[in-house]
Amino acid sequence: MDSSKLDIADYLDSNEMIAEYLNTVLEEGDDSDIVTAIGHIARAIGMTKISEETGLSRPSLYKALSEGSKPQFETVRKVLKAIGGEIRVNPLSV
């Protein structure tokens, strides 16, 4: 019996899937879940590529995006940009 752990990064194979996954986590998750999700996306795209685009080393990316970490906002912003995302604010409907 194979008890290998499911790796969500294996399923994030399109921009649409990545956006849907991250938006779901943003709506339903907490801060830790969001950081972990961004880490999954970065691994799916490739940490070397993310490292080159952000100017951050691969080890620091793995550390910043690991479960339970609390990365600086600037790191999150750089990684989001590198994975093709952006932060937007929409007015809440009352």
Side-chain angles (χ1 to χ4, degrees):
M1 181 173 160
D2 186 2
S3 61
S4 61
K5 189 175 177 183
L6 170 74
D7 189 352
I8 190 70
D10 293 338
Y11 298 92
L12 300 174
D13 55 4
S14 70
N15 289 341
E16 293 76 19
M17 185 67 80
I18 288 169
E20 184 176 333
Y21 171 61
L22 188 52
N23 284 328
T24 300
V25 174
L26 285 166
E27 289 175 17
E28 300 174 4
D30 61 19
D31 292 350
S32 180
D33 295 333
I34 294 166
V35 170
T36 301
I38 293 170
H40 290 155
I41 295 166
R43 284 189 300 104
I45 292 171
M47 282 296 200
T48 300
K49 181 178 181 201
I50 302 300
S51 174
E52 290 168 356
E53 291 188 28
T54 61
L56 301 168
S57 70
R58 288 180 70 230
S60 66
L61 282 171
Y62 278 109
K63 183 177 178 184
L65 302 174
S66 64
E67 190 171 337
S69 68
K70 298 191 182 305
Q72 293 183 353
F73 183 73
E74 179 182 10
T75 301
V76 172
R77 189 184 53 76
K78 284 181 178 181
V79 174
L80 280 175
K81 184 176 181 184
I83 64 175
E86 64 183 351
I87 297 173
R88 302 192 107 194
V89 176
N90 293 312
L92 297 174
S93 55
V94 182

